[in-house]
Amino acid sequence: MKAVAYKTPGPIDREDALQDITLEMPKAEARDLLVKVIAVSVNPVDAKIRLGMSPEGSEWRVLGFDAAGVVDAVGPEVQHFKPGDAVFYAGSIARPGTNSEYHLVDERIVGRKPTSVSDAEAAALPLTAITAWEMLFDRLDVKRPTPQGGNTILVIGGAGGVGSITIQLLRALTDMTVIATASRAETQDWVRECGAQYVINHRQALAPQVDALGLGAPGFVFSTTQTGQHVADIVDLIAPQGRFGLIDDPEELNAMPFKLKAVSLHWELMFTRSLFQTPDMAEQGKLLNEVAALVDAGRIRSTATEVAGKVNAVTLREVHARMESGSVRGKIVLEGF
């Protein structure tokens, strides 16, 4: 089967940064589904892994987490899927990725693809939707208001993949007021289309902009990117007893300044459940089914903004480079091999 992979980690501006290869067809065991991959999307984590992680236990490392496709075969312990089922999911960080014609994934982290959108549109959703859902409803617990500012949330990096779906989930499932950050006219328009009621510029100091809105201090802050640049502002602008969540990897994060306001700090990594095989691992499949229902009901939409081409090394190198530039709006997807 065709796949795209790398041997040596490093920058994307090398011919061997990602390569077209041929691999043997995997076999479904235990609770695995063998999925014929139709479309994939690219996430910042792909670039992070490619930059710094060598292949483990194999000559090649295949990247990719998001996928939409059709179940080709099932393992003997599979309970909820059969060959021919249309699915979408984000795979495990501990297993080969979705940039291959066929892919193995545990059924517990798989959802049924929304019927109202294309495979490409569906492939844009899983990783970011899981990340946003877990942060909002499991970590920050936004449906339990904070004593002050409990109906207002600031989403830093609102135009990216996670930010785009975070705003939509908030508008679809809560009555919260959403402030989102975006720095360019087109990204500001995008976050408004996603449902943000207020937009501020993350290239300027955040705290004065939030104060100028006249909404009071937000009880919740969700930072999706460049957290290290905004920590001082977050400490300043968040309400006492607020909740602060982040998903990126700041070089340093001093939590002590949050103590005076008794602000709680929450990390989210959507790979945790599958990596540690937690007892609640199947919650990811369930929430993907809820996301699919919201899509089919017209309450949220795909965050795909571009189909860049087929899944091959040349196209993926181009998309990785764009991803690393930090200028991507929504999600870039690839379709076919």
Side-chain angles (χ1 to χ4, degrees):
M1 67 176 183
K2 295 177 182 178
V4 181
Y6 70 90
K7 285 184 178 181
T8 305
I12 197 63
D13 59 350
R14 302 171 297 137
E15 286 296 319
D16 66 345
L18 292 170
Q19 301 180 56
D20 293 310
I21 64 171
T22 301
L23 297 174
E24 292 185 5
M25 179 78 73
K27 181 181 179 181
E29 304 285 355
R31 298 194 69 173
D32 279 345
L33 310 177
L34 178 64
V35 177
K36 179 176 175 56
V37 176
I38 298 174
V40 303
S41 71
V42 183
N43 292 282
V45 66
D46 294 89
K48 290 178 183 177
I49 293 172
R50 191 210 71 246
L51 276 167
M53 294 182 66
S54 297
E56 295 181 5
S58 172
E59 182 181 9
W60 297 96
R61 178 153 193 154
V62 180
L63 292 172
F65 297 100
D66 281 326
V70 176
V71 177
D72 186 78
V74 301
E77 298 175 22
V78 167
Q79 302 173 19
H80 303 297
F81 295 93
K82 65 183 185 304
D85 286 343
V87 296
F88 75 143
Y89 61 90
S92 168
I93 201 168
R95 305 184 72 173
T98 58
N99 293 337
S100 59
E101 286 187 282
Y102 291 84
H103 183 251
L104 288 177
V105 61
D106 190 300
E107 69 163 339
R108 287 171 288 183
I109 59 173
V110 175
R112 297 187 180 277
K113 186 187 88 67
T115 60
S116 60
V117 298
S118 68
D119 290 287
E121 291 170 314
L125 288 167
L127 186 147
T128 55
I130 294 169
T131 300
W133 190 292
E134 291 184 348
M135 176 59 86
L136 294 175
F137 304 117
D138 297 338
R139 314 288 174 245
L140 294 177
D141 195 10
V142 296
K143 291 189 176 181
R144 179 172 61 89
T146 54
Q148 183 177 340
N151 200 48
T152 304
I153 184 169
L154 170 64
V155 180
I156 299 173
V162 173
S164 298
I165 197 65
T166 295
I167 296 167
Q168 292 190 69
L169 289 173
L170 284 164
R171 294 306 307 276
L173 300 175
T174 78
D175 62 355
M176 298 184 73
T177 298
V178 181
I179 309 166
T181 79
S183 61
R184 307 192 315 272
E186 59 267 34
T187 53
Q188 290 174 354
D189 288 344
W190 171 252
V191 298
R192 289 189 181 97
E193 289 177 23
C194 290
Q197 292 104 319
Y198 299 91
V199 182
I200 62 176
N201 190 335
H202 50 240
R203 297 194 185 279
Q204 302 171 14
L206 298 179
Q209 294 181 81
V210 170
D211 184 59
L213 295 175
L215 302 172
F220 300 91
V221 175
F222 178 14
S223 180
T224 71
T225 185
Q226 302 294 326
T227 299
Q229 298 179 17
H230 302 300
V231 169
D233 259 337
I234 295 167
V235 171
D236 190 11
L237 67 85
I238 196 168
Q241 302 180 79
R243 299 182 206 130
F244 165 45
L246 70 157
I247 58 171
D248 61 332
D249 304 300
E251 291 185 10
E252 294 183 3
L253 182 65
N254 181 8
M256 285 302 296
F258 290 101
K259 182 177 181 179
L260 189 64
K261 288 185 173 179
V263 169
S264 58
L265 175 64
H266 304 264
W267 287 96
E268 162 60 20
L269 182 67
M270 64 132 293
F271 298 118
T272 297
R273 281 168 158 159
S274 57
L275 183 62
F276 293 97
Q277 299 281 297
T278 60
D280 63 348
M281 181 173 161
E283 291 300 311
Q284 289 193 342
K286 293 177 183 177
L287 77 82
L288 282 176
N289 287 335
E290 292 192 51
V291 168
L294 289 169
V295 171
D296 288 337
R299 299 180 66 190
I300 64 174
R301 65 179 186 176
S302 171
T303 53
T305 53
E306 178 185 349
V307 179
K310 294 187 180 297
V311 185
N312 58 49
V314 170
T315 306
L316 277 166
R317 285 198 298 268
E318 293 173 353
V319 175
H320 274 232
R322 291 174 59 189
M323 185 72 63
E324 291 175 341
S325 75
S327 61
V328 173
R329 175 176 61 91
K331 297 291 293 293
I332 300 176
V333 298
L334 296 87
E335 189 171 24
F337 285 82

